[in-house]
Amino acid sequence: MSVLDGILAGVREDLAQRQSAVPLAELKARVSDAPPALDPLPGFRAPGVSIIAEVKRKSPSKGELATIADPAALAAEYAAGGAAAISVLTEQRRFGGSLDDLAAVRAEVSVPVLRKDFIVTPYQLWEARAWGADLALLMVVSLPGGLLEELHGLALELGLTPLVETHTEEEIARAADLGAEVVGINARDLTTLEVDRAVFQKLAPHLPEAAVKIAESGVTGPEDVAEYHAWGADVVLVGEALVRSGDPRSSIGEFISQAGRP
Protein backbone atom coordinates (compact mmCIF):
# COMPACT_ATOMS: atom_id res chain seq x y z
CA MET A 1 0.00 0.00 0.00
CA SER A 2 1.35 3.43 -0.97
CA VAL A 3 1.26 6.47 1.31
CA LEU A 4 -1.58 7.86 -0.77
CA ASP A 5 -3.58 4.63 -0.43
CA GLY A 6 -3.28 4.84 3.34
CA ILE A 7 -4.41 8.47 3.38
CA LEU A 8 -7.39 7.74 1.15
CA ALA A 9 -8.49 4.85 3.33
CA GLY A 10 -8.65 7.16 6.34
CA VAL A 11 -10.38 9.86 4.31
CA ARG A 12 -13.14 7.44 3.32
CA GLU A 13 -13.66 6.29 6.90
CA ASP A 14 -14.00 9.85 8.16
CA LEU A 15 -16.23 10.73 5.22
CA ALA A 16 -18.61 7.88 6.05
CA GLN A 17 -19.03 9.28 9.56
CA ARG A 18 -19.79 12.78 8.26
CA GLN A 19 -22.28 11.42 5.75
CA SER A 20 -24.09 9.62 8.56
CA ALA A 21 -24.24 12.80 10.62
CA VAL A 22 -25.12 15.28 7.85
CA PRO A 23 -27.39 14.05 5.04
CA LEU A 24 -26.71 15.26 1.52
CA ALA A 25 -30.09 16.99 1.48
CA GLU A 26 -28.95 19.16 4.39
CA LEU A 27 -25.79 20.15 2.52
CA LYS A 28 -27.80 21.01 -0.57
CA ALA A 29 -30.11 23.23 1.46
CA ARG A 30 -27.14 25.02 2.95
CA VAL A 31 -25.61 25.54 -0.49
CA SER A 32 -28.86 26.94 -1.85
CA ASP A 33 -28.73 29.65 0.82
CA ALA A 34 -25.04 30.44 0.35
CA PRO A 35 -23.77 33.55 -1.45
CA PRO A 36 -22.13 33.00 -4.85
CA ALA A 37 -18.59 31.65 -4.85
CA LEU A 38 -15.76 34.09 -5.52
CA ASP A 39 -13.89 33.88 -8.84
CA PRO A 40 -10.13 33.43 -8.29
CA LEU A 41 -9.13 33.70 -11.94
CA PRO A 42 -8.69 37.51 -12.12
CA GLY A 43 -6.27 37.35 -9.19
CA PHE A 44 -4.47 34.33 -10.58
CA ARG A 45 -4.06 35.94 -13.99
CA ALA A 46 -2.74 39.26 -12.63
CA PRO A 47 0.77 40.29 -13.69
CA GLY A 48 3.66 38.77 -11.76
CA VAL A 49 3.27 35.78 -9.50
CA SER A 50 0.26 35.14 -7.29
CA ILE A 51 0.41 33.28 -3.99
CA ILE A 52 -2.03 30.76 -2.55
CA ALA A 53 -1.18 30.77 1.16
CA GLU A 54 -2.02 27.64 3.10
CA VAL A 55 -3.38 27.06 6.58
CA LYS A 56 -1.53 23.85 7.42
CA ARG A 57 -0.87 22.44 10.88
CA LYS A 58 0.98 19.25 9.97
CA SER A 59 1.78 16.87 7.14
CA PRO A 60 2.56 13.16 6.68
CA SER A 61 6.11 13.97 5.58
CA LYS A 62 7.08 16.57 8.21
CA GLY A 63 4.74 15.87 11.13
CA GLU A 64 3.77 18.87 13.25
CA LEU A 65 4.47 22.15 11.46
CA ALA A 66 2.78 24.81 13.55
CA THR A 67 0.21 25.25 16.29
CA ILE A 68 -2.55 27.24 14.62
CA ALA A 69 -5.05 28.05 17.32
CA ASP A 70 -6.83 30.64 15.18
CA PRO A 71 -6.83 29.78 11.47
CA ALA A 72 -8.96 32.82 10.69
CA ALA A 73 -6.35 35.17 12.18
CA LEU A 74 -3.59 33.49 10.17
CA ALA A 75 -5.67 33.76 7.01
CA ALA A 76 -6.21 37.46 7.69
CA GLU A 77 -2.43 37.92 7.86
CA TYR A 78 -2.08 36.07 4.57
CA ALA A 79 -4.67 38.27 2.90
CA ALA A 80 -3.09 41.43 4.29
CA GLY A 81 0.23 40.30 2.84
CA GLY A 82 -1.24 40.05 -0.64
CA ALA A 83 -2.24 36.40 -1.00
CA ALA A 84 -4.52 35.88 -3.99
CA ALA A 85 -6.28 32.99 -2.24
CA ILE A 86 -6.18 31.00 0.98
CA SER A 87 -5.86 27.22 1.00
CA VAL A 88 -7.33 25.42 4.00
CA LEU A 89 -6.40 21.81 4.74
CA THR A 90 -9.56 20.08 5.90
CA GLU A 91 -8.21 16.50 6.19
CA GLN A 92 -8.05 15.63 9.88
CA ARG A 93 -5.93 12.50 10.40
CA ARG A 94 -2.72 13.44 8.61
CA PHE A 95 -3.03 17.22 8.37
CA GLY A 96 -4.96 18.26 11.49
CA GLY A 97 -7.55 20.24 9.56
CA SER A 98 -11.33 20.45 9.58
CA LEU A 99 -14.33 21.93 7.86
CA ASP A 100 -14.64 24.26 10.85
CA ASP A 101 -11.26 25.73 9.85
CA LEU A 102 -12.64 26.31 6.36
CA ALA A 103 -15.75 28.05 7.67
CA ALA A 104 -13.71 30.24 10.03
CA VAL A 105 -11.37 31.36 7.27
CA ARG A 106 -14.25 32.03 4.88
CA ALA A 107 -15.90 34.27 7.47
CA GLU A 108 -12.69 36.26 7.99
CA VAL A 109 -11.27 37.00 4.54
CA SER A 110 -12.59 38.49 1.31
CA VAL A 111 -10.24 36.61 -1.03
CA PRO A 112 -11.15 33.22 -2.54
CA VAL A 113 -10.72 30.14 -0.35
CA LEU A 114 -9.61 26.70 -1.50
CA ARG A 115 -10.73 23.50 0.17
CA LYS A 116 -7.62 21.33 0.05
CA ASP A 117 -8.45 17.73 0.78
CA PHE A 118 -8.51 14.30 -0.82
CA ILE A 119 -11.80 14.71 -2.65
CA VAL A 120 -13.07 11.44 -4.07
CA THR A 121 -16.88 11.76 -3.92
CA PRO A 122 -19.55 14.29 -4.94
CA TYR A 123 -20.55 14.66 -1.27
CA GLN A 124 -17.21 16.33 -0.52
CA LEU A 125 -17.82 18.98 -3.17
CA TRP A 126 -21.20 19.78 -1.65
CA GLU A 127 -19.42 20.00 1.71
CA ALA A 128 -16.82 22.37 0.24
CA ARG A 129 -19.47 24.72 -1.08
CA ALA A 130 -21.63 24.46 2.06
CA TRP A 131 -18.70 25.46 4.28
CA GLY A 132 -17.74 28.40 2.10
CA ALA A 133 -15.09 27.22 -0.35
CA ASP A 134 -14.66 28.96 -3.68
CA LEU A 135 -12.19 26.41 -5.09
CA ALA A 136 -11.79 22.66 -4.60
CA LEU A 137 -8.74 20.48 -5.16
CA LEU A 138 -9.14 17.54 -7.53
CA MET A 139 -6.09 15.27 -7.62
CA VAL A 140 -5.90 13.31 -10.85
CA VAL A 141 -3.88 10.54 -9.19
CA SER A 142 -6.77 9.63 -6.89
CA LEU A 143 -9.61 9.96 -9.44
CA PRO A 144 -9.54 7.06 -11.91
CA GLY A 145 -11.77 6.45 -14.89
CA GLY A 146 -14.65 8.86 -15.32
CA LEU A 147 -14.59 10.04 -11.70
CA LEU A 148 -12.34 13.01 -12.48
CA GLU A 149 -14.70 14.18 -15.20
CA GLU A 150 -17.74 13.68 -12.97
CA LEU A 151 -16.31 15.68 -10.07
CA HIS A 152 -14.91 18.40 -12.32
CA GLY A 153 -18.34 18.86 -13.87
CA LEU A 154 -20.12 18.94 -10.50
CA ALA A 155 -17.64 21.46 -9.12
CA LEU A 156 -18.42 23.80 -11.99
CA GLU A 157 -22.17 23.30 -11.50
CA LEU A 158 -21.78 24.29 -7.84
CA GLY A 159 -19.83 27.41 -8.77
CA LEU A 160 -16.54 26.04 -7.46
CA THR A 161 -13.33 26.54 -9.41
CA PRO A 162 -11.61 23.15 -9.68
CA LEU A 163 -7.85 23.13 -9.13
CA VAL A 164 -6.85 20.02 -11.06
CA GLU A 165 -3.60 18.69 -9.59
CA THR A 166 -1.14 16.65 -11.64
CA HIS A 167 2.27 15.06 -11.22
CA THR A 168 2.92 13.35 -14.57
CA GLU A 169 2.57 14.10 -18.27
CA GLU A 170 -0.26 11.57 -18.50
CA GLU A 171 -2.16 13.32 -15.70
CA ILE A 172 -1.70 16.68 -17.44
CA ALA A 173 -3.22 15.15 -20.57
CA ARG A 174 -6.27 14.09 -18.56
CA ALA A 175 -6.60 17.62 -17.16
CA ALA A 176 -6.31 19.07 -20.65
CA ASP A 177 -9.00 16.73 -21.95
CA LEU A 178 -11.34 18.15 -19.31
CA GLY A 179 -10.68 21.69 -20.45
CA ALA A 180 -9.45 22.51 -16.95
CA GLU A 181 -8.84 26.23 -16.49
CA VAL A 182 -6.66 25.85 -13.39
CA VAL A 183 -4.00 23.12 -13.44
CA GLY A 184 -1.44 22.48 -10.72
CA ILE A 185 1.75 20.48 -10.79
CA ASN A 186 2.63 19.05 -7.40
CA ALA A 187 6.37 18.61 -6.93
CA ARG A 188 5.55 16.04 -4.25
CA ASP A 189 4.90 12.48 -5.37
CA LEU A 190 1.95 11.55 -3.16
CA THR A 191 2.68 7.85 -3.41
CA THR A 192 6.10 8.29 -1.78
CA LEU A 193 6.00 11.88 -0.38
CA GLU A 194 9.32 12.67 -2.12
CA VAL A 195 9.66 16.23 -3.40
CA ASP A 196 11.47 17.33 -6.56
CA ARG A 197 10.79 20.88 -7.67
CA ALA A 198 12.34 20.14 -11.06
CA VAL A 199 9.19 18.14 -11.82
CA PHE A 200 7.45 21.47 -12.44
CA GLN A 201 10.21 22.65 -14.77
CA LYS A 202 9.99 19.39 -16.71
CA LEU A 203 6.21 19.26 -17.00
CA ALA A 204 5.23 22.94 -17.31
CA PRO A 205 5.70 23.00 -21.12
CA HIS A 206 3.00 20.33 -21.38
CA LEU A 207 0.36 22.36 -19.52
CA PRO A 208 -2.53 23.78 -21.57
CA GLU A 209 -1.45 27.20 -22.79
CA ALA A 210 -4.63 28.95 -21.70
CA ALA A 211 -4.75 27.39 -18.24
CA VAL A 212 -3.65 29.07 -15.02
CA LYS A 213 -0.47 27.22 -14.07
CA ILE A 214 0.07 26.50 -10.38
CA ALA A 215 3.26 25.20 -8.75
CA GLU A 216 2.74 23.23 -5.55
CA SER A 217 5.14 22.01 -2.83
CA GLY A 218 8.84 22.44 -2.19
CA VAL A 219 8.95 26.15 -1.37
CA THR A 220 11.42 27.06 1.37
CA GLY A 221 11.91 30.75 0.55
CA PRO A 222 11.47 33.57 -1.96
CA GLU A 223 14.09 32.15 -4.32
CA ASP A 224 11.99 29.02 -4.85
CA VAL A 225 8.92 31.08 -5.70
CA ALA A 226 10.96 33.14 -8.14
CA GLU A 227 12.29 30.00 -9.80
CA TYR A 228 8.83 28.49 -10.16
CA HIS A 229 7.66 31.75 -11.73
CA ALA A 230 10.61 31.75 -14.12
CA TRP A 231 9.64 28.21 -15.13
CA GLY A 232 6.14 29.40 -16.04
CA ALA A 233 4.08 29.33 -12.86
CA ASP A 234 1.35 31.97 -12.66
CA VAL A 235 0.60 30.96 -9.07
CA VAL A 236 2.61 29.26 -6.33
CA LEU A 237 0.96 27.44 -3.44
CA VAL A 238 2.95 27.84 -0.21
CA GLY A 239 2.25 26.17 3.12
CA GLU A 240 5.11 25.08 5.35
CA ALA A 241 7.36 28.05 4.58
CA LEU A 242 4.60 30.43 5.68
CA VAL A 243 3.32 28.70 8.81
CA ARG A 244 6.90 28.44 10.06
CA SER A 245 8.02 31.91 9.00
CA GLY A 246 6.97 33.84 12.10
CA ASP A 247 5.84 36.74 9.90
CA PRO A 248 3.60 35.37 7.14
CA ARG A 249 2.40 38.79 6.01
CA SER A 250 5.92 40.01 5.24
CA SER A 251 6.95 36.66 3.79
CA ILE A 252 4.22 36.79 1.17
CA GLY A 253 5.35 40.27 0.18
CA GLU A 254 8.90 38.99 -0.23
CA PHE A 255 7.73 36.06 -2.34
CA ILE A 256 5.80 38.34 -4.68
CA SER A 257 8.44 41.06 -4.96
CA GLN A 258 11.39 38.76 -5.56
CA ALA A 259 9.56 36.80 -8.24
CA GLY A 260 8.77 40.07 -10.00
CA ARG A 261 12.38 41.13 -10.31
CA PRO A 262 13.93 40.98 -13.78
Side-chain angles (χ1 to χ4, degrees):
M1 177 183 291
S2 71
V3 174
L4 179 60
D5 291 335
I7 293 173
L8 290 175
V11 164
R12 290 188 174 97
E13 288 180 12
D14 294 341
L15 173 60
Q17 293 179 5
R18 296 199 306 276
Q19 286 179 298
S20 296
V22 183
L24 180 59
E26 184 175 329
L27 289 182
K28 290 184 175 181
R30 183 167 177 168
V31 169
S32 68
D33 293 334
L38 301 177
D39 183 0
L41 294 182
F44 289 172
R45 296 190 187 278
V49 71
S50 297
I51 299 295
I52 299 176
E54 192 156 83
V55 177
K56 183 177 185 179
R57 292 186 175 89
K58 61 182 182 178
S59 75
S61 60
K62 297 289 184 68
E64 297 290 339
L65 298 175
T67 300
I68 302 173
D70 189 344
L74 177 59
E77 286 294 294
Y78 287 160
I86 311 297
S87 171
V88 182
L89 260 302
T90 59
E91 197 280 335
Q92 182 176 3
R93 297 191 184 200
R94 305 293 186 98
F95 294 89
S98 69
L99 287 166
D100 288 340
D101 288 349
L102 178 64
V105 170
R106 168 72 289 154
E108 181 68 25
V109 301
S110 58
V111 298
V113 177
L114 164 69
R115 181 188 184 183
K116 193 174 182 191
D117 208 321
F118 297 81
I119 293 175
V120 290
T121 69
Y123 183 91
Q124 290 165 289
L125 290 176
W126 285 99
E127 280 184 324
R129 192 70 193 90
W131 265 264
D134 306 291
L135 304 96
L137 184 70
L138 298 178
M139 298 182 297
V140 177
V141 68
S142 60
L143 299 173
L147 186 54
L148 174 63
E149 184 176 3
E150 176 190 351
L151 295 184
H152 187 269
L154 177 59
L156 294 175
E157 288 178 22
L158 294 176
L160 292 163
T161 298
L163 193 177
V164 181
E165 179 181 292
T166 66
H167 184 71
T168 67
E169 190 173 339
E170 179 183 7
E171 291 174 5
I172 289 174
R174 290 184 65 195
D177 288 344
L178 288 173
E181 286 191 278
V182 181
V183 183
I185 295 174
N186 195 342
R188 175 174 284 109
D189 182 342
L190 292 174
T191 64
T192 64
L193 300 184
E194 294 181 0
V195 176
D196 179 4
R197 289 195 310 104
V199 168
F200 184 89
Q201 182 184 28
K202 175 185 176 183
L203 295 179
H206 300 285
L207 290 169
E209 185 175 349
V212 170
K213 303 167 182 65
I214 299 184
E216 306 172 47
S217 300
V219 172
T220 59
E223 65 284 350
D224 296 329
V225 174
E227 192 164 48
Y228 272 143
H229 186 50
W231 290 340
D234 304 303
V235 183
V236 180
L237 191 151
V238 188
E240 179 183 345
L242 286 175
V243 298
R244 287 182 161 176
S245 71
D247 188 352
R249 182 189 301 202
S250 296
S251 295
I252 291 173
E254 291 174 14
F255 293 162
I256 294 171
S257 62
Q258 182 153 325
R261 293 173 187 168

